[in-house]
C-alpha cells in the first residue's frame, strides 16, 4: 500500500453518530435561538457544504464553537449506546497490517473517541487521536501530523464523510478518501473529486492494491 499513515475522521466515518448528533442539536437549539432540524430535512442537508448548512439553519458562525463544545459534552453521556458503522471493525483490522500508522482527527472530543474505541475493542489499532474544536481547522492538524511522522504528502491519506474533510485534505495537499455512509451525500462527495470514493467498508481493501 502506497499510504504509510491513514488518518480517519470519527463521526459518520467510524461511528454511526448521525442520529445522535441531530438529537443533541435539537435539544440545545432552543437555547441558542436556533430552529430544530426535522428528520425529513436531513436528505437535502446532506447535499450541502458546511457554509451552506450554517446559512440554511441560520446559525451564526460565532456560535459554532460553543455548540460543538456543548454537543460533545452531551454525547459523552450517551457514548455507550453509539454503534460502529457496519463492517468497520473487520475492515480496519484487515487494513491495519498494511499501514505504518492509523490515527484519528476529529471535531469530537478525544475523550469521547477513546471511550468509544475501547467499548468496541479497536483502540489498539490507532496510534493517536487528535481533536480540533474548529469545524474548519483540520488542514493545519493534517499538516502537523504529516510533519510528525516525517512523511511525504502522497504517503498520507485522510478518510472522512464530509465535504469539509475533503476540503481540509485538499488544503493540506494530501490524498483523501470520501465515504458515502456518513453525513454528506454520494453526489456531493463525488463532485468534490476525492482521491478515493468508498460506498462500503469492505472497499477499503482497494487501498491495499494501490
Amino acid at each position: 500500500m502506497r499510504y504509510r499513515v491513514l488518518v480517519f475522521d470519527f463521526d459518520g466515518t467510524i461511528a454511526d453518530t448521525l442520529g445522535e448528533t441531530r438529537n443533541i442539536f435539537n435539544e440545545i437549539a432552543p437555547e441558542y435561538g436556533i430552529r430544530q432540524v426535522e428528520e425529513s430535512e436531513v436528505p437535502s442537508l446532506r447535499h450541502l457544504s458546511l457554509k451552506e448548512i450554517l446559512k440554511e439553519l441560520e446559525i451564526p458562525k460565532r456560535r459554532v464553537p460553543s455548540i460543538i463544545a456543548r454537543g460533545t459534552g452531551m454525547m459523552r453521556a450517551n457514548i455507550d449506546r453509539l454503534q460502529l458503522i457496519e463492517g468497520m471493525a473487520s475492515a480496519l483490522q484487515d487494513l491495519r497490517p498494511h499501514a505504518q500508522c492509523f490515527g484519528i482527527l476529529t471535531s469530537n472530543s478525544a475523550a469521547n473517541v477513546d471511550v468509544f474505541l475501547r467499548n468496541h475493542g479497536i483502540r489498539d489499532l490507532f496510534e493517536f487521536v487528535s481533536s480540533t474544536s474548529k469545524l474548519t481547522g483540520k488542514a493545519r492538524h493534517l499538516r502537523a501530523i504529516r510533519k510528525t511522522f516525517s512523511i511525504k504528502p502522497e504517503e498520507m491519506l485522510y478518510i472522512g464523510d464530509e465535504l469539509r474533510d475533503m476540503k481540509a485534505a485538499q488544503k493540506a495537499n494530501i490524498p483523501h478518501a470520501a465515504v458515502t455512509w456518513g453525513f454528506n451525500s454520494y453526489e456531493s462527495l463525488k463532485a468534490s473529486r476525492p482521491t478515493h470514493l468508498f460506498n462500503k467498508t469492505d472497499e477499503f481493501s482497494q487501498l491495499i492494491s494501490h
Side-chain angles (χ1 to χ4, degrees), residues 91-143:
L92 291 174
Q93 289 162 352
D94 290 344
L95 192 58
R96 182 62 188 86
H98 301 276
Q100 174 185 327
C101 172
F102 271 13
I104 289 177
L105 174 60
T106 178
S107 299
N108 208 315
S109 73
N112 283 355
V113 175
D114 190 74
V115 170
F116 179 89
L117 297 178
R118 292 184 189 281
N119 284 351
H120 292 277
I122 57 173
R123 179 62 183 88
D124 60 342
L125 296 178
F126 298 91
E127 275 73 16
F128 67 87
V129 175
S130 182
S131 174
T132 172
S133 60
K134 295 182 178 180
L135 284 177
T136 57
K138 288 185 173 181
R140 178 173 61 85
H141 284 263
L142 289 171
R143 286 191 290 264

Side-chain angles (χ1 to χ4, degrees), residues 6-166:
L6 269 60
V7 184
F8 296 81
D9 173 52
F10 176 70
D11 292 278
T13 300
I14 291 177
D16 185 2
T17 58
L18 182 58
E20 181 67 14
T21 298
R22 188 178 73 88
N23 290 339
I24 290 174
F25 178 84
N26 283 346
E27 186 174 341
I28 65 176
E31 300 176 26
Y32 290 88
I34 299 168
R35 73 174 180 84
Q36 297 175 323
V37 175
E38 300 295 331
E39 187 171 0
S40 60
E41 292 181 89
V42 174
S44 61
L45 291 175
R46 293 185 70 220
H47 294 291
L48 305 182
S49 67
L50 173 62
K51 184 177 181 180
E52 291 169 335
I53 290 171
L54 294 180
K55 182 178 180 180
E56 175 69 20
L57 300 180
E58 299 181 349
I59 301 174
K61 194 173 181 179
R62 60 184 172 79
R63 307 301 297 273
V64 172
S66 175
I67 293 172
I68 292 175
R70 181 78 186 284
T72 54
M74 293 174 67
M75 185 173 286
R76 179 62 181 272
N78 299 322
I79 203 77
D80 290 342
R81 73 185 188 195
L82 297 180
Q83 299 298 311
L84 275 168
I85 295 295
E86 185 177 355
M88 182 59 66
S90 59
L92 291 174
Q93 289 162 352
D94 290 344
L95 192 58
R96 182 62 188 86
H98 301 276
Q100 174 185 327
C101 172
F102 271 13
I104 289 177
L105 174 60
T106 178
S107 299
N108 208 315
S109 73
N112 283 355
V113 175
D114 190 74
V115 170
F116 179 89
L117 297 178
R118 292 184 189 281
N119 284 351
H120 292 277
I122 57 173
R123 179 62 183 88
D124 60 342
L125 296 178
F126 298 91
E127 275 73 16
F128 67 87
V129 175
S130 182
S131 174
T132 172
S133 60
K134 295 182 178 180
L135 284 177
T136 57
K138 288 185 173 181
R140 178 173 61 85
H141 284 263
L142 289 171
R143 286 191 290 264
I145 291 168
R146 185 176 65 79
K147 290 179 181 178
T148 296
F149 288 93
S150 300
I151 57 174
K152 299 175 183 178
E154 62 269 22
E155 294 177 319
M156 179 171 151
L157 180 70
Y158 188 46
I159 302 169
D161 69 306
E162 295 185 55
L163 292 172
R164 65 188 178 99
D165 297 324
M166 303 303 102

